[in-house]
Amino acid sequence: MNSLIAYMLRSYTRSQRYFGPLAGIVIAVQILYSYKPNPVMNSYAATAVMLFISCAWMGLSFLNHEHPVHRQIAVVHLRSAVRHSVGGIVALAVLTLLLDLILVIYPWLTGHFAESPGVYRFSLALVGHGLLGMLGVSISLYLQSSWVKKGSHAAGIMLGIVILSLGGTQISDSLPSSLHFLIWLLPPVAPVMEVMMKADTMPLAELLGSFAHALLYITLLIGFYLYRSRQRDYNKT
């Protein structure tokens, strides 16, 4: 598995498809921290949402960068499409963790905050960024070329999901009470962003509840994706 992950990361780096999502998040973070001082948790909530968008984009480019023939050879060599899919998810998790650490440590080390984050807020920021990053990755699994043939359709669907996810709170408020259950179908980006912004005053149990919701959502998406991976034809592009 280590060799597979190393191969995938090396192959993705050589393809240079990482440039778009990486440049996007660098520009967004530079704009956010273009002035000092910044509020700690509000800034972390903003960069966590940026990471969600960037990881969704990065996941799509990562999952589409490998040539179908190379992918099929790798699956045959591994004797398991699921193992190949797990390798891709773990490689994306490594990239997400790297970006997570950079986004959480960078403003602290460069003195962009009005005060020290402290261990509690630092830990929450790491978990919140990691969850939203993996949420973006989980969504991208279903939009790769072997699932959605046209790249323009996949990009449009992803943009729609991002917009709906960010507007989750407003959508929930506008729905009649009998339809509130529909909000549970949306990726829980808005609830995680909200609890991160209110982390200083919100009870820990409520905060952890939102994080658990996001973790459950990610687990279900990845679990169903791996289940379906057994039956898909990866020769298709």
Side-chain angles (χ1 to χ4, degrees):
M1 183 58 74
N2 288 341
S3 301
L4 174 64
I5 294 166
Y7 154 72
M8 287 180 164
L9 290 175
R10 192 164 52 245
S11 171
Y12 183 54
T13 305
R14 286 178 179 168
S15 75
Q16 300 186 350
R17 292 196 183 193
Y18 62 87
F19 183 76
L22 188 62
I25 197 165
V26 168
I27 292 169
V29 169
Q30 288 302 316
I31 292 172
L32 176 68
Y33 291 121
S34 58
Y35 65 91
K36 299 180 185 180
N38 292 270
V40 177
M41 290 313 293
N42 281 6
S43 301
Y44 276 149
T47 51
V49 171
M50 291 173 192
L51 187 60
F52 164 69
I53 299 169
S54 180
C55 282
W57 185 2
M58 180 177 71
L60 199 55
S61 66
F62 180 93
L63 295 165
N64 288 337
H65 89 276
E66 194 177 16
H67 192 282
V69 175
H70 293 169
R71 180 185 302 178
Q72 190 62 28
I73 292 172
V75 169
V76 170
H77 182 70
L78 291 165
R79 299 177 181 176
S80 168
V82 174
R83 191 174 295 178
H84 182 269
S85 299
V86 170
I89 293 169
V90 175
L92 282 167
V94 170
L95 294 174
T96 301
L97 179 63
L98 229 113
L99 289 172
D100 178 352
L101 289 171
I102 292 170
L103 289 177
V104 174
I105 292 174
Y106 166 74
W108 175 40
L109 286 184
T110 52
H112 279 88
F113 287 145
E115 56 187 321
S116 172
V119 176
Y120 176 68
R121 290 189 287 187
F122 190 79
S123 304
L124 290 181
L126 281 175
V127 176
H129 280 77
L131 286 172
L132 289 195
M134 285 308 296
L135 192 57
V137 167
S138 305
I139 291 167
S140 71
L141 296 175
Y142 295 88
L143 299 174
Q144 58 182 292
S145 57
S146 57
W147 289 68
V148 180
K149 288 185 179 179
K150 286 194 174 180
S152 57
H153 291 175
I157 294 170
M158 178 167 288
L159 185 60
I161 292 173
V162 167
I163 292 170
L164 289 173
S165 303
L166 296 180
T169 305
Q170 288 79 8
I171 293 171
S172 173
D173 292 341
S174 64
L175 288 174
S177 55
S178 58
L179 297 177
H180 268 187
F181 70 93
L182 291 175
I183 203 65
W184 291 93
L185 299 177
L186 289 177
V189 178
V192 172
M193 180 176 67
E194 194 172 337
V195 297
M196 287 183 72
M197 291 172 68
K198 297 177 180 174
D200 291 336
T201 56
M202 182 171 281
L204 182 60
E206 191 173 342
L207 201 149
L208 292 178
S210 286
F211 282 1
H213 175 199
L215 183 61
L216 178 65
Y217 202 97
I218 293 166
T219 304
L220 289 175
L221 285 181
I222 292 178
F224 184 70
Y225 169 74
L226 292 178
Y227 170 73
R228 290 287 297 155
S229 291
R230 297 169 183 268
Q231 305 159 8
R232 296 201 71 81
D233 180 2
Y234 283 93
N235 283 316
K236 294 179 179 178
T237 60

